Amino acid sequence: MSNNHAIAIIGAGHGAGQAVLSLRQKGHAGPLTLIGEEPYVPYQRPPLSKAYLAGELSLDRLYFKPSDFYAQKDVNLMLSTRAVHLDRSAKRIELEDGRHVDYDQALIMTGSRVRRLNVPGIDLPGVHYLRNIADVDAIREHFGTGANLVVVGGGYIGLEVAAIAVKRGLNVTVLEAADRVMPRVVGAEVSAFFERVHGEEGVDLRTGMGVTGFAGTGKLERVICANGEELDADVAVVGVGILPNQELAADAGLKTENGIVVDACCRTEDPHIFAAGDCTWHPNEIYGRHMRLESVHNALEQAKTAALAMLGEDKPYNQVPWFWSDQYDIKFQ
């Protein structure tokens, strides 16, 4: 395939920005379309629960590349646009507004979405998830001194939110259903260290505590714990994990497990369709198994791998995963 073929990228996250950059750097000169549901050009997600939530980073500094980069690289930006169907036989992406995009090759980078709690009161104003810019902007509106914040989930996101909020003068309670914080990603000693740090900063951190509901008249006023206790709350942030956005691929008949199944070069079972990032179930020779990684490092590196493979250069992705978290003045990596 020549470097003048049409490529469409579905998803406009951080990794999609890297895919655009890599494709143009490696000589792809054909039509390049980027389809994203949000109104923003690709931006960095890690700062959302860190510097951006703290008000230390402006919106334009979140962007992977400035807005005019995409015009300079002759990219057809289709923002605030949702892809609803992938017609493999016609090589066509159908959009929610009735338009379509034809492709020679497609790269699915639909990322992931928050895992939602199914409990009473979850839709009350004041109950938030944190996944995108709009989420953070809404949460920050509650950052008044003395407000009561309840964080549901003691993972990276929950603890980063707690660290920023308590420094802003909020009364913060963290509820973690497991017997220690960050149980999926660190050992018991590290969990104990961060529990002590948060306690010293004034966070009321409760492990082994689930949530059975949210209550209030017209807006959030209380969080109901599994032991029956009710906590006063002006705002709640729920961070209980994420799920891969694999439905578009599955509906198109592509193989999915815990994500879209790809090989080490990010190729799906359809030779014209690739996938990268949070939404993929991919092999890692270092660990000798398939895995799905929820990390920006993985999204960026898989984007590079996919871009090369789409241009005829197979360079298998095979790296040691790494993650980081900023809590108070501690950078944990």
Side-chain angles (χ1 to χ4, degrees), residues 127-144:
V127 181
H128 301 274
Y129 296 91
L130 196 162
R131 188 61 184 161
N132 56 41
I133 289 170
D135 293 335
V136 179
D137 290 346
I139 292 168
R140 282 200 304 202
E141 291 182 4
H142 299 276
F143 269 33

Side-chain angles (χ1 to χ4, degrees), residues 127 150-152 175 210-215 220-225 228-233 235-236:
V127 181
V150 176
V151 177
V152 182
L175 306 176
V211 169
T212 58
F214 302 88
L220 175 68
E221 295 173 351
R222 299 178 306 282
V223 175
I224 304 169
C225 301
E229 183 178 0
E230 297 189 6
L231 303 176
D232 290 339
V235 57

